[in-house]
Amino acid sequence: VSQSYVREHHDRISREITIMRGDVVANINEFGLDTPIFAESMLGQVANRDLTEAAIFRVSPRGDVQTFAMVNFDQRPVDQRLPRAALPALRTGQTRIVTDAGDRIEAQIKLDPTQDLYLYISRRMDRRALGQWREAQSAVSDYRMTLNRSRDLQLRFNAILLAVSLLIVAIVIFIALKLADRLVRPVAELVGAARLATTGDLSARVPESRARDEVA
């Protein structure tokens, strides 16, 4: 429910700022940015669109932010509304929508492709719904992290199982070779002594076996 609530506000404010950009640009061209008529039009935009805040920012070539036509602004710093890290994406025409303030959803968009003028709007939201949405996002993030960790553990377990299996196979092969050598060595020694005897070396001997089986 909280995700649906936030998604609805996200889609709504995205549409609002896109339409409002056209109205603001038209009012700037008609009345000018620093006129009382434009300030009154901004106030009307906020009231008609059920917004909490609205403002126009200008970014200087040095990166300084200047604020115009503020409506219902609180004391939060400007860099929290228009962070410099968001400027590259905004300059390409993208719309930035965030819910970091905790009690409102905010949107920023560039007004003019040729100038560093940006429109900012916000709408108050239910703090509890936002908190539940963040908890849901955190739960999903924790679940995905746990899922990735379980996959890593599964891979590690498979690698350990493979290593142990190879070790067991190596031990079995070693024991088999030792056992085969123990069975074949007396016969090989006897064959070697017989060959020496055929050459005339009658002093050839084989060590006596302690075993009492058919090979001995």
Side-chain angles (χ1 to χ4, degrees):
V1 172
S2 63
Q3 288 177 347
S4 300
Y5 175 78
V6 173
R7 190 182 303 113
E8 179 183 353
H9 279 268
H10 184 284
D11 296 340
R12 183 181 174 189
I13 202 168
S14 178
R15 292 191 300 267
E16 292 285 356
I17 196 170
T18 301
I19 299 173
M20 186 175 173
R21 175 175 62 176
D23 295 341
V24 170
V25 170
N27 291 334
I28 291 175
N29 294 332
E30 183 176 357
F31 305 116
L33 187 59
D34 300 324
T35 61
I37 299 179
F38 177 77
E40 185 178 350
S41 69
M42 282 289 293
L43 184 60
Q45 291 279 347
V46 172
N48 294 333
R49 300 182 186 281
D50 192 25
L51 300 176
T52 305
E53 300 170 308
I56 296 176
F57 296 110
R58 172 178 288 164
V59 181
S60 68
R62 297 184 302 175
D64 300 328
V65 180
Q66 184 180 3
T67 308
F68 296 94
M70 295 180 298
V71 179
N72 296 335
F73 255 32
D74 56 23
Q75 300 301 317
R76 282 190 304 143
V78 173
D79 58 0
Q80 292 186 10
R81 293 187 170 87
L82 189 67
R84 294 187 178 182
L87 291 178
L90 290 173
R91 285 182 175 129
T92 62
Q94 298 182 22
T95 302
R96 181 174 182 265
I97 301 176
V98 293
T99 56
D100 296 339
D103 60 347
R104 71 197 70 183
I105 185 169
E106 302 171 299
Q108 303 98 13
I109 196 172
K110 190 174 184 180
L111 286 175
D112 191 337
T114 61
Q115 300 183 26
D116 267 351
L117 277 177
Y118 301 90
L119 173 65
Y120 165 90
I121 63 173
S122 72
R123 177 179 288 117
R124 195 169 299 279
M125 296 178 61
D126 185 82
R127 185 184 295 270
R128 184 177 61 178
L130 278 175
Q132 292 173 345
W133 176 71
R134 290 194 180 91
E135 290 177 0
Q137 295 293 102
S138 177
V140 171
S141 177
D142 292 342
Y143 170 75
R144 290 175 178 170
M145 186 181 301
T146 304
L147 186 61
N148 292 333
R149 185 178 300 173
S150 67
R151 290 173 179 171
D152 292 340
L153 291 176
Q154 185 69 32
L155 290 176
R156 293 181 183 179
F157 174 77
N158 291 339
I160 294 174
L161 182 62
L162 177 61
V164 171
S165 300
L166 293 176
L167 180 62
I168 293 174
V169 171
I171 293 175
V172 170
I173 293 175
F174 177 78
I175 294 175
L177 291 176
K178 283 292 185 180
L179 182 60
D181 180 69
R182 181 178 177 183
L183 293 174
V184 175
R185 190 192 317 153
V187 177
E189 291 175 348
L190 186 61
V191 171
R195 287 176 178 173
L196 291 177
T198 59
T199 61
D201 185 4
L202 301 181
S203 63
R205 296 291 186 273
V206 294
E208 182 179 358
S209 175
R210 297 180 180 178
R212 290 294 178 265
D213 56 10
E214 64 276 10
V215 178

